Amino acid sequence: MSAPMISYCVSRTCYKKYGIRLLAKYPCWHRNVKFKNTWIARDRESSYAPGQLFDYLKWRLTLSSVGSCRRFHCRVVSRVNADGSNETASNTLREQNQDSKGKTEKTKHGATYDIPTPPGQKKDTTRPLPSVYSSEFVEAAWYDWWVEQGYFKPDTKIKPGEERFVMCLPPPNVTGTLHLGHALTCSIQDAIARWYRMKGRSVLWIPGCDHAGIATQVVVEKRLARERNITRHDIGRELFVKEVWKWKQEKEDSILEQVKKLGSSLDWSRSCFTMDEKLSSAVTEAFVHLHDEGLIFRSKRMVNWCCHLKSAISDIEIEQVSLEGPTKVKLPGYEEEVEMGVITTFSYPVVGSDEVIAVSTTRPETMLGDTAVAVHPDDPRYTHLHGVQVWNPLANRSFPVVCDTYVDQTFGTGAVKITPAHDPNDTEIGQRHNLLSINVIDDEGKMENVPEKYCGMKRFHAREAVIQDLKDQGLYRDTKSHSMVLPFCSRSKDVIEPRLKDQWFLNCKEMAEQAIQSVKTGNLKLIPASADKSWFHWLTDCQDWCLSRQIWWGHRVPAYFITISNQPSAEGVWFSGRTAEEARNKAAINLGVSADLLYLQQDDDVLDTWFSSALFPFSSLGWPTQTTDLERFYPTSLLETGSDIMFFWVARMVMLGYKLTGQLPFTEVLLHGTLRDAHGRKMSKSLGNVIDPMDVIHGISLQELQQQVKQSNLDPSEVTKAQEGQAKDYPQGIQACGTDGLRFGLCSIDYSAQAVNLDMGHIDSKRRMCNKIWQGFHFFQANLEPDFKPAVNFKSDVMVTNLMDRWILSRLSHMVVSCDRYFTDYKLHGVTDCLQTFWISDFCDIYLESVKPLFREDNSRADTAKQVMWYSIETFLRALSPLMPYLTEELYQRLPTATDRPESVCISHYPSVEEVSFQHEKLEEAVTIVKLLKNVILSVQIRYGIKSKTLPVMIQVTDEDLLETLSEGSLLTTLLTLSRAGSVNFLSTGQSPPKGSLSLTPSPQVQVFLMLKGIIDPKKEIKRLENKLKRLEKTMKNKLKRKKDSADFIKLQEEKDSYIKEIAAMKKYEMEQTE
């Protein structure tokens, strides 16, 4: 009788939560599992969800099985030994090395580092490397050690002539967790910061978090509604603000931990929050200074109003949604959907006449606040109506017909209703014609200052009532489909209502002109240069900035409404102050009364989040206090951020920085495009395409992704939509790529474009590159003697004569030169391309293959090759370090060294052009020919199924110098090794090739002859190729008749040309066979 089957949950989540001992003691309690045979499961190992810890090789002689548990579909392992006894979970989950002190766990991603290492202590690298790359193993322990060693802090002592590099991390909002857009920013900035640090600069990279006024208030309000079924008004301002501070404490730690997990080399001793005391005092100082100077003022202006939030919002918080026609829209506060995308036409009766004048509008409810009808002065249809009065029967008042050139005669009826209080264009017309401005929609989106019938109605309910009343009075004409762009609040999803409100504004005109001139004079450099046009567009005729927000979370406006207690009829006056007492004293002096007679009430509004963010480059360094940090590190060097906030943040930092400190806050601005998904869609939680970078690093199953959506703040209707999107885009979940793979993948994208599409397959390919680096290093280690010592001075101590050794050093030089150039220009995709090309195409695919035979026999060249390999790897790791800090540190620590060197690769010197000067262009050209020959020979062997090392090859070279180089022993041996040819010989110029050979021309200077006689039947091959050509031509004819300029057609045409050439070569070969 066999032993009972026991199931153990070994998911990453459960393992970390319960630990190895609990899992060993208790079986998986999630649910009964359905088992699959081990041998089948082994073949499908790549499809398993992240976190599996099953060791097939160890258990290949036992009866085992795998299944799924209910907890986010994590993996379950169950097994019975061949003798029927159960093996404990501790043995199941852990593989012991021969040395019992070296412990690793086998997971889907390979081993995990399991040697006890206190945080901040250096990782133990004395144990052998696992055979397979594992991001979990590689990335363990290093970050805490870097921080503990102080590698991320600038030099404490100021050196004469010190070159510094200072940068601020755009502070992420404390609204939740990071997304891949944040990861892109962190990856780009960290690569640049690490590069400058390795170049010898004193680097300061400042971290922080933003309070994100509206965004954070919204998520906390949603949580209160979901968990306690209350609103902020139920608990009051003071208690609500406390709730937001609780949220901040919860989220800030997790956000900063995510930033750390990304490997960001920030100086954490200078971390700050935009509502810290230091930064808050800077906000107060800036406001009071600008108010005293008259640049900040209070005025009734048109603002973007969100009725659901009951606050003005900034342009960046508005989503412009295009509607092609009638569209039902779900809005907060309405049970039914509201129809948008239509235009209604109705008539106003002309006073004292039977005539009417028709107007068209997409917002019929605002006709209750109309105070004029405007027509173009040159429109002959309305010449006789200039200046007459029309009657509004629903509002019971009359108003004039005015003439204004703003009116488009071709739109609608050519007559426009004017509502100065609810449309920015109408406001300007109203000001030009001294029209009344009647606010008919209140803060909550309900009707006010209207006849009693409509008073208190929600605005879109009033729309229906107005249309019905117009119909009843015979003034309604029609409602038609109308394409339009509708503004929505990105936070509440409510339709924006333009409203006239008393708000605080900042006059930006003079500051904007200074910002324009800073770019024109070259004092401020925008990268890419194409951003200059947008910069000038935004800042020319820059409008006043609305600073106030009607919410509770944020920096409260340091302004006080002051009245005189013994003069109740006197109007109140606004004064600002760093404290209430300062404001009181200002008012007393200005009003000429005793301070004791003044009554103060601070404004309830808070400041726009972008105001405090605009101060960040200098407020984070202590401004307005003249601190040591401010003196040493301001102005900063570079700002890197998304191009979508160039005006909302970058321009405002420049304006306020120059105004308040007299200096530009930075001298360069590097902009990256907006990150979108593989389909080019904007990242949106409702689409299910917002990805937590931690899920890319650790991997996540589809079930876990969907569980995250279910637990989010999304409405139930949006949850279903998001989960459907996830199932379509990530049917197998997301493969664990590790931090290095994610960083390298993000930096390898050309982020200078306006929009950056990201395919997760691209990131996964960089994980595979990590494995390629790992395997190449493993090969190097495996072929070193225990007593190997690298040369102290490679250039002087190692005599390199072999052409392949000289070639890889030349390619190394090319890599260093290119990386230095691309880093200087901040073109990180160029850096990643150079690094990947060197390691994979040059070092692994060519050089390592060429030296493998040396280590299988006693060869005197092997010692030199090992020195060359060591030098190439050590240089490559330093060059790669800014982009892959974890992997390079792990391997750098395991490189043998002959002299003292920096303790960490991240503080070593970045390879310089002078240091690695081995370029040999002629030799590189020759090896390029070797590659082409290898590709041609291999492709023919694969196509015709020719066995390795059997195909004779003849080569004819017309260039004598090239022939001499290719004939050299090491290059010829390399070609034989790489191409797997039976033999390679050279024909002299003019010498006829042997009969029965297939002729191919991989290069104008080189012709290759492959001895296929007796190996293939040319007639069959010609027929096969002609059939392929016919099928291709049929495809081109049927599918691409009208798309001859498309990329697909061009690609097929190239394929067709290739077949034609191949058929011609085979026919020539056939003719030679018969002669």
Side-chain angles (χ1 to χ4, degrees), residues 281-338:
S281 66
V283 171
T284 300
E285 176 66 29
F287 185 94
V288 173
H289 177 90
L290 295 169
H291 184 247
D292 287 347
E293 200 170 322
L295 292 176
I296 288 181
F297 59 96
R298 190 170 177 84
S299 175
K300 179 170 281 191
R301 300 280 186 91
M302 184 66 67
V303 297
N304 300 313
W305 187 264
C306 174
C307 297
H308 186 73
L309 297 176
K310 295 179 227 173
S311 174
I313 64 172
S314 66
D315 290 343
I316 198 172
E317 289 162 323
I318 295 176
E319 292 179 359
Q320 302 288 353
V321 178
S322 296
L323 305 178
E324 297 303 321
T327 306
K328 295 287 187 179
V329 179
K330 179 65 177 174
L331 298 176
Y334 291 83
E335 293 182 4
E336 72 284 2
E337 292 183 327
V338 178

Side-chain angles (χ1 to χ4, degrees), residues 221-238:
E221 284 192 85
K222 285 184 177 181
R223 183 165 79 165
L224 288 175
R226 185 178 67 251
E227 296 179 359
R228 296 163 59 183
N229 196 29
I230 59 174
T231 70
R232 62 184 166 111
H233 300 286
D234 294 331
I235 59 176
R237 182 167 189 158
E238 185 178 349

Side-chain angles (χ1 to χ4, degrees), residues 32 42 88 102 116 126 196 215 221 296 472 497 525 594 641 728 791 795 806 854 862 886 892 900 1005 1053:
N32 293 329
R42 186 191 317 174
T88 63
T126 60
Y196 272 117
E221 284 192 85
I296 288 181
D472 294 343
E497 186 64 46
K525 181 181 179 182
S594 171
T641 189
K728 183 178 180 181
K795 278 188 173 182
R806 293 173 63 190
L854 302 179
Y886 290 107
Y892 178 85
D900 292 336
Q1005 303 164 308
Q1053 186 63 49

Side-chain angles (χ1 to χ4, degrees), residues 98-118:
Q98 290 182 356
D99 185 339
S100 61
K101 292 182 181 180
K103 301 175 182 178
T104 61
E105 283 179 9
K106 282 293 189 177
T107 71
K108 181 183 175 180
H109 324 298
T112 59
Y113 181 74
D114 198 29
I115 300 174
T117 305

Side-chain angles (χ1 to χ4, degrees), residues 21-36:
R21 294 183 180 177
L22 283 178
L23 289 178
K25 185 175 181 181
Y26 300 105
C28 178
W29 42 265
H30 299 303
R31 69 167 178 154
N32 293 329
V33 294
K34 295 182 180 179
F35 303 110
K36 300 176 182 177

Side-chain angles (χ1 to χ4, degrees), residues 7 39 86 160 169 321 325 332 365 428 461 601-602 647 650 657 672 681 698 772 825 830-831 833 978 995 1043:
S7 305
W39 302 102
N86 289 110
L169 176 72
V321 178
E365 69 279 7
E428 294 181 8
H461 289 163
Q601 184 173 357
Q602 186 175 359
F647 174 72
V650 182
H672 65 253
R681 300 175 304 176
H698 299 299
K772 191 76 172 179
D825 295 337
V831 179
D833 184 60
L978 298 177
K995 291 183 179 181
K1043 299 180 181 179

Side-chain angles (χ1 to χ4, degrees), residues 684-695:
S684 167
K685 289 182 179 179
S686 62
L687 292 175
N689 60 1
V690 174
I691 301 298
D692 185 334
M694 299 303 105
D695 293 336

Side-chain angles (χ1 to χ4, degrees), residues 695-870:
D695 293 336
V696 181
I697 291 172
H698 299 299
I700 190 170
S701 69
L702 175 61
Q703 288 77 6
E704 286 177 290
L705 281 172
Q706 298 195 330
Q707 186 71 15
Q708 288 178 356
V709 170
K710 189 175 180 180
Q711 295 174 346
S712 69
N713 278 330
L714 288 178
D715 290 333
S717 60
E718 292 181 316
V719 168
T720 301
K721 180 181 177 182
Q723 289 180 336
E724 288 174 353
Q726 289 175 329
K728 183 178 180 181
D729 291 340
Y730 315 110
Q732 302 299 322
I734 297 174
Q735 169 71 49
C737 298
T739 299
D740 286 329
L742 174 60
R743 287 168 56 110
F744 198 84
L746 291 172
C747 290
S748 66
I749 302 170
D750 184 359
Y751 47 75
S752 62
Q754 194 69 23
V756 180
N757 293 358
L758 178 65
D759 185 347
M760 292 309 300
H762 174 76
I763 303 298
D764 189 51
S765 70
K766 305 312 173 186
R767 173 189 63 84
R768 294 193 293 272
M769 182 188 166
C770 292
N771 187 59
K772 191 76 172 179
I773 296 170
W774 189 267
Q775 297 304 328
F777 187 87
H778 229 297
F779 173 81
F780 167 68
Q781 268 199 330
N783 287 283
L784 289 184
E785 297 83 5
D787 59 347
F788 172 80
K789 291 289 183 184
V792 175
N793 188 318
F794 179 83
K795 278 188 173 182
S796 60
D797 296 349
V798 180
M799 185 66 66
V800 181
T801 57
N802 183 272
L803 290 187
M804 288 308 298
D805 292 341
R806 293 173 63 190
W807 171 77
I808 196 59
L809 292 175
S810 179
R811 294 301 299 158
L812 186 68
S813 295
H814 180 271
M815 180 201 76
V816 170
V817 170
S818 299
C819 286
D820 188 72
R821 182 177 72 252
Y822 285 126
F823 256 127
T824 302
D825 295 337
Y826 301 132
K827 294 181 178 179
L828 300 191
H829 64 285
V831 179
T832 59
D833 184 60
C834 291
L835 291 166
Q836 185 165 337
T837 297
F838 172 79
W839 186 265
I840 295 179
S841 300
D842 297 333
F843 188 73
C844 290
D845 290 356
I846 303 298
Y847 185 72
L848 290 190
E849 293 299 323
S850 74
V851 299
K852 278 181 181 179
L854 302 179
F855 304 126
R856 291 195 288 264
E857 55 191 43
D858 187 13
N859 192 306
S860 58
R861 186 198 149 203
D863 291 340
T864 302
K866 290 173 186 176
Q867 293 288 347
V868 171
M869 288 169 66
W870 180 92

